[in-house]
Amino acid sequence: MLSDSTYLAAKMVASTIETHFENTITTAMHMGVEGISVAPPAHVIEAIIDASFWASLRHEEGHSPKISIALLPPEIAEKPLVFEHAIRLTPANLTKLAPAVERAGIHLGVWFENNNIYVWGTTVNIQGICFVLEVVEPGLLVVKHRRIDGFGKFVNVAILKGDQIKIVDEQSTSLTDCPALLTSLLGMPLPSFLSDSVNVLVELAASMRAHGRGGLVVVVPGESEAWKSSIVHPISYPVTPSFSGIAELMECDPDERATISWQESFRKLIDIIGGFTAVDGATVLNQNHELLAFGAKITRSDSNLHVDQIITTEPVVGGTPAKIHPTQNGGTRHLAAAQFVYDQRDAIALVASQDGRFTIFSWSPQLQMVHAHRIDILLL
């Protein structure tokens, strides 16, 4: 029997999450997509969130649990590991099982029937738009789903941290001049992520955030060298000729991109570029995904003024834009990124902080100012 939840946030958010999955799955089915999951009912969502939250506050041999839970029956999982006896979904049982599934890509399989919800085993393969809940750290849960083709960053739906609830605003792309990177992370509009979910900057953003050292990437037009006027010379580490490994991979046709060998090569190259972002200074890529330099020092262009105001937003339901001085948005990396985009208005900048914050800076022609998109909730 399902127990009554005692985590208030689970009660508050379950219906909203249910609606998200119903709408997303219905849209995909109308488009003829096959092999997708079923929409989870609100009472099951609530039970999974409740058990996971209380499990996250426990310890097993001194370690806090890190768990990824996928909601699907064992008969549709590909090559699952199935327990002989199903295990009731409780905080205590999740805590006990956590050490076995804490590595990336392994999910505890959970399903429900006859008002019971249970853990049936583990799986590394799940359906498209499958409900996934990840316990990131004590009190921090992320509800997400897999993309249709199974490759790339999952699409986040909701983030719960203690009594704080953040619902990702799928329509925040309509705010103004939304960068393609943010559109891809939001997973909307749906046809976009159904057709091609491989976004180089999304994967690079995740890699930058993962190394935990902070970093700054500027993405400049492919055929222009105007960006050099915003860099201190000589450039510390220019790359000549430009490193084009990722650009060459992205020229492959969709069938080849679906192969394991292509995906492994892609991840290795992303990690190579991501490693350079840990070096002090900016990593410079062009829009063709070629590495031009790293460790570059950003300076104000001689032909421009100091940036004195930016607008900040976060893609969450109920979020409101704020106009602030760039020094209120973060440290030197954030200020350098804002100045670079202010000077080079056809460029974007990505900033990862050591504390996990992640911001995309772009120029808004509509607002005529630098727009800082706070997106760390999309990268958890």
Side-chain angles (χ1 to χ4, degrees):
M1 296 292 291
L2 290 175
S3 302
D4 291 336
S5 61
T6 55
Y7 177 38
L8 181 59
K11 294 178 180 290
M12 296 173 62
V13 79
S15 294
T16 300
I17 294 174
E18 177 188 46
T19 300
H20 166 87
F21 278 91
E22 287 177 344
N23 292 342
T24 305
I25 290 171
T26 298
T27 302
M29 292 176 65
H30 287 166
M31 295 177 64
V33 178
E34 299 179 349
I36 56 177
S37 187
V38 297
H43 70 281
V44 172
I45 294 171
E46 180 181 333
I48 294 174
I49 292 174
D50 183 74
S52 300
F53 174 76
W54 295 116
S56 77
L57 303 182
R58 293 173 173 241
H59 291 83
E60 180 68 13
E61 296 183 346
H63 296 279
S64 298
K66 293 183 178 180
I67 316 165
S68 180
I69 294 172
L71 184 65
L72 76 168
E75 55 267 22
I76 66 172
E78 184 179 346
K79 297 181 179 179
L81 185 158
V82 182
F83 304 151
E84 182 177 359
H85 302 290
I87 299 170
R88 187 168 176 242
L89 182 75
T90 66
N93 287 336
L94 288 178
T95 305
K96 286 290 185 182
L97 292 169
V101 294
E102 65 180 12
R103 296 191 181 186
I106 305 175
H107 310 280
L108 278 181
V110 169
W111 195 237
F112 59 96
E113 59 183 21
N114 300 325
N115 206 32
N116 292 314
I117 183 165
Y118 57 90
V119 181
W120 53 257
T122 69
T123 182
V124 295
N125 297 299
I126 58 177
Q127 294 176 303
I129 321 182
C130 178
F131 173 96
V132 172
L133 184 144
E134 184 176 353
V135 176
V136 179
E137 61 185 41
L140 177 58
L141 314 177
V142 181
V143 176
K144 57 182 69 177
H145 64 72
R146 205 205 73 163
R147 294 173 184 264
I148 293 297
D149 63 6
F151 183 68
K153 175 73 180 66
F154 279 31
V155 176
N156 289 3
V157 178
I159 294 85
L160 298 90
K161 187 172 185 179
D163 61 355
Q164 298 179 10
I165 300 173
K166 291 186 177 182
I167 304 295
V168 174
D169 183 4
E170 300 162 348
Q171 304 306 320
S172 65
T173 55
S174 64
L175 177 62
T176 178
D177 311 316
C178 188
L181 168 56
L182 181 54
T183 304
S184 182
L185 276 168
L186 288 166
M188 299 300 277
L190 187 61
S192 172
F193 89 84
L194 289 177
S195 61
D196 182 8
S197 65
V198 179
N199 185 301
V200 171
L201 295 183
V202 169
E203 303 307 319
L204 180 58
S207 180
M208 289 173 66
R209 195 172 185 275
H211 64 56
R213 296 176 179 269
L216 167 59
V217 172
V218 294
V219 184
V220 300
E223 305 302 326
S224 173
E225 294 194 348
W227 61 272
K228 292 184 177 180
S229 66
S230 296
I231 301 293
V232 174
H233 292 269
I235 298 175
S236 299
Y237 304 104
V239 178
T240 307
S242 60
F243 179 67
S244 59
I246 291 178
E248 293 168 5
L249 272 184
M250 295 302 292
E251 292 176 355
C252 295
D253 60 51
D255 289 339
E256 189 170 354
R257 290 189 193 186
T259 64
I260 293 176
S261 60
W262 186 94
Q263 294 174 7
E264 289 177 344
S265 297
F266 179 80
R267 288 191 178 98
K268 287 179 181 177
L269 290 172
I270 285 292
D271 286 341
I272 289 173
I273 304 299
F276 287 121
T277 68
V279 176
D280 186 40
T283 299
V284 184
L285 300 179
N286 64 23
Q287 292 170 351
N288 300 321
H289 313 306
E290 296 172 322
L291 176 64
L292 307 180
F294 65 96
K297 307 300 182 184
I298 291 177
T299 186
R300 179 176 60 86
S301 172
D302 291 338
S303 61
N304 225 328
L305 303 174
H306 287 288
V307 57
D308 61 0
Q309 189 177 61
I310 64 175
I311 188 167
T312 64
T313 58
E314 187 176 20
V316 298
V317 173
T320 56
K323 292 182 180 180
I324 61 174
H325 191 276
T327 56
Q328 296 176 269
N329 191 51
T332 55
R333 285 193 186 96
H334 292 78
L335 181 58
Q339 186 65 56
F340 187 88
V341 170
Y342 185 72
D343 292 345
Q344 308 294 331
R345 298 181 180 182
D346 49 4
I348 66 171
L350 320 177
V351 179
S353 300
Q354 293 181 3
D355 62 2
R357 292 179 59 196
F358 202 99
T359 308
I360 309 170
F361 291 84
S362 63
W363 177 256
S364 169
Q366 181 176 337
L367 300 175
Q368 285 295 295
M369 64 192 310
V370 175
H371 189 162
H373 305 263
R374 174 85 179 271
I375 65 161
D376 30 284
I377 67 162
L378 304 179
L379 294 172
L380 289 168

